[in-house]
């Protein structure tokens, strides 16, 4: 049987041989003691790229988000965020469980919450009410099909936060995709937030690792939170080396993933009974499966039987993600398989 086309996520990428060489050759030390030269280099490199005071290497995107939220808030504070965002849906309720935050989820439009949406939800100071403290935004937005959160709207949110004494966290797990798709530099996005997280283990193709960046005072707290949450790492330079390799070699090529995702999206949309839910802007394709066509579970099983893997994204939706380990040929094959399957009987 030919190669499996694994479109479940861009997290499935495996380190390329040159990345493995960088891993093998990395200089390391004990990072909890602050001794790992490769981690230090990576954190400096990110601080330069994002134009933040400093940055912190963390094991995962979830931990990057959670140490940022924990560092910016007090238990009992409220966080305003889009109802479809990762922090609300896919982090096992970590923000309330670990930091005592109360969610105030808003119905954004395709993952985008605007200042008009947010303003009515900022609470007045009142002895009964939680303190609205933080706004979280996600760029690119996973459940909105990899949509790029518009910079202008991010700037308006930043201005509102300044005016109302709030802070902003940017879940930039796929910020590199936003940068490549929009041509807007990392630092312009980062300037809109107090803390920014980004993952190396998604489209950038590293095996493990994320980063969170911001001012020294916040990231010092985040470093303590990382330790408290069990994320202090020792000879983490082997992972930081992979991240540095990814920064050097795997950012520009995200454009190929975006082109592949667009081709796949167009092919899917051409099938009667399958509809793209969002226009494809980056590497994520989300489509709806009509009732009369198939169930999501059965369609995924039929795809798998034909060597194509995808994931359910809601009861009537499927997500496919283009990445480093699938080329244009694999994408064409996935599109052909899907077109060939037709409706279930
Ligand atoms: N997303 C994963 C799943 O958890 C859904 C995926 O396959 O897309 N923020 C965003 C926007 C993410 O998409 C993810 C991972 C994270 C944070 C968390 O990253 P990890 O998995 O490293 O904790």
């Amino acid at each position: 049987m030919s190669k499996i086309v694994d479109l479940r996520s861009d997290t499935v990428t495996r380190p390329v041989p040159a990345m493995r060489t960088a891993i093998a050759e990395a200089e390391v030390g004990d990072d909890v003691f602050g001794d790992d030269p490769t981690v230090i280099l990576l954190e400096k490199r990110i601080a330069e790229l994002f134009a933040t005071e400093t940055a912190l290497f963390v094991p995962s995107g979830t931990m990057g988000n959670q140490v940022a939220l924990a560092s910016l808030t007090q238990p009992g504070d409220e966080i305003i965020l889009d109802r479809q965002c990762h922090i609300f849906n896919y982090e096992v309720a970590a923000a309330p469980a670990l930091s005592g935050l109360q969610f105030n989820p808003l119905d954004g439009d395709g993952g985008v919450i605007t200042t008009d949406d947010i303003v009515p939800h900022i609470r007045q100071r009142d002895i009964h009410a939680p303190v609205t403290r933080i706004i979280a935004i996600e760029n690119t937005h996973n459940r909105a099909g990899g949509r790029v959160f518009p910079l202008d709207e991010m700037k308006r949110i930043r201005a509102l936060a300044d005016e109302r004494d709030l802070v902003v966290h940017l879940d930039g797990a796929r910020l590199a995709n936003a940068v490549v798709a929009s041509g807007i530099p990392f630092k312009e996005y980062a300037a809109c937030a107090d803390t920014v997280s980004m993952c190396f283990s998604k489209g950038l193709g590293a095996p493990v690792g994320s980063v969170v960046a911001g001012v020294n005072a916040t990231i010092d707290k985040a470093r303590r939170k990382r330790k408290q949450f069990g994320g202090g790492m020792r000879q983490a330079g082997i992972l930081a080396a992979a991240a540095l390799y990814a920064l050097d070699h795997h950012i520009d090529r995200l454009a190929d993933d975006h082109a592949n995702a667009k081709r796949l999206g167009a092919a899917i949309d051409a099938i009667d009974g399958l509809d793209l839910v969002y226009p494809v802007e980056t590497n994520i394709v989300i489509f709806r499966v009509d009732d009369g066509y198939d169930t999501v579970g059965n369609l995924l099983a039929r795809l798998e039987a034909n060597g194509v893997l995808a994931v359910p994204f809601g009861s009537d939706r499927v997500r496919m993600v283009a990445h480093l380990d699938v080329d244009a040929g694999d994408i064409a094959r996935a599109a052909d398989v899907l077109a060939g399957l037709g409706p279930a009987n």
Side-chain angles (χ1 to χ4, degrees):
M1 179 162 164
S2 49
K3 171 185 165 191
I4 302 277
V5 183
D6 189 348
L7 303 174
R8 288 173 301 166
S9 181
D10 44 10
T11 59
V12 303
T13 50
R14 274 168 274 230
V16 298
M19 183 182 276
R20 285 180 182 263
T21 302
I23 291 170
E25 292 175 353
E27 263 190 79
V28 297
D30 188 326
D31 181 52
V32 173
F33 285 115
D35 283 351
D36 191 299
T38 312
V39 171
I40 292 170
L41 192 65
L42 174 67
E43 290 174 347
K44 281 209 174 102
R45 181 80 190 275
I46 289 292
E48 272 164 33
L49 189 65
F50 288 8
T52 53
E53 277 182 10
T54 190
L56 176 72
F57 188 47
V58 290
S60 68
T62 300
M63 187 170 286
N65 287 337
Q66 294 307 322
V67 297
L69 300 184
S71 304
L72 291 168
T73 61
Q74 297 292 325
D77 285 350
E78 193 165 67
I79 175 169
I80 292 181
L81 72 193
D82 169 57
R83 190 180 300 283
Q84 299 301 327
C85 77
H86 195 276
I87 291 173
F88 186 58
N89 290 285
Y90 296 115
E91 300 192 7
V92 206
L98 303 180
S99 298
L101 295 182
Q102 172 160 292
F103 286 128
N104 189 344
L106 308 186
D107 290 312
D109 181 9
V112 173
I113 49 172
T114 66
T115 49
D116 287 347
D117 298 326
I118 295 166
V119 167
H121 292 272
I122 301 175
R123 294 179 190 266
Q124 302 300 316
R125 291 287 163 139
D126 179 293
I127 191 160
H128 305 90
V131 174
T132 304
R133 177 66 187 138
I134 182 165
I135 303 165
I137 50 190
E138 185 173 311
N139 198 2
T140 63
H141 197 293
N142 189 347
R143 271 169 79 101
R147 177 165 183 201
V148 179
F149 200 110
L151 180 66
D152 285 351
E153 199 49 58
M154 286 179 63
K155 286 182 173 166
R156 282 192 282 275
I157 290 174
R158 168 80 272 161
L160 173 69
D162 290 342
E163 196 185 300
R164 303 295 293 267
D165 195 22
L166 307 176
V167 290
V168 178
H169 172 67
L170 169 57
D171 176 355
R174 295 187 180 82
L175 191 60
N177 296 83
V179 165
V180 168
S182 66
I184 294 167
F186 285 99
K187 60 183 180 207
E188 290 210 36
Y189 287 120
C192 298
D194 294 274
T195 46
V196 186
S197 58
M198 183 174 84
C199 296
F200 303 110
S201 58
K202 307 218 160 38
L204 296 181
V208 179
S210 295
V211 71
V212 57
V215 296
N216 289 325
T218 306
I219 300 303
D220 283 352
K221 285 189 200 163
R223 191 175 290 278
R224 287 183 64 77
K225 283 290 169 189
R226 182 186 69 174
K227 191 74 183 77
Q228 188 180 48
F229 293 168
M233 297 179 285
R234 303 296 180 173
Q235 286 69 36
I238 56 170
L239 303 176
L244 283 164
Y245 182 91
L247 289 175
D248 288 334
H249 301 281
H250 287 170
I251 293 187
D252 293 345
R253 64 150 307 285
L254 291 173
D256 299 342
D257 298 344
H258 299 176
N260 280 337
K262 281 178 188 164
R263 267 194 290 275
L264 181 62
I268 290 170
D269 216 26
I271 300 172
D272 257 0
L274 303 181
D275 300 296
L276 268 189
V277 183
Y278 303 100
V280 180
E281 292 185 33
T282 56
N283 66 328
I284 299 180
V285 180
I286 298 181
F287 61 93
R288 187 180 302 106
V289 183
D290 283 359
D291 267 358
Y293 193 86
D294 203 349
T295 63
V296 164
N298 195 51
L299 181 63
L300 290 175
R302 293 198 293 145
L303 279 168
E304 187 171 354
N306 286 277
V308 177
L309 304 183
V311 289
F313 239 49
S315 58
D316 62 348
R317 292 176 188 194
V318 171
R319 184 186 74 167
M320 291 179 164
V321 186
H323 55 75
L324 184 64
D325 286 4
V326 289
D327 60 19
D330 297 324
I331 293 288
R333 193 155 80 77
D336 285 350
V337 166
L338 202 47
L341 287 178
N345 294 317

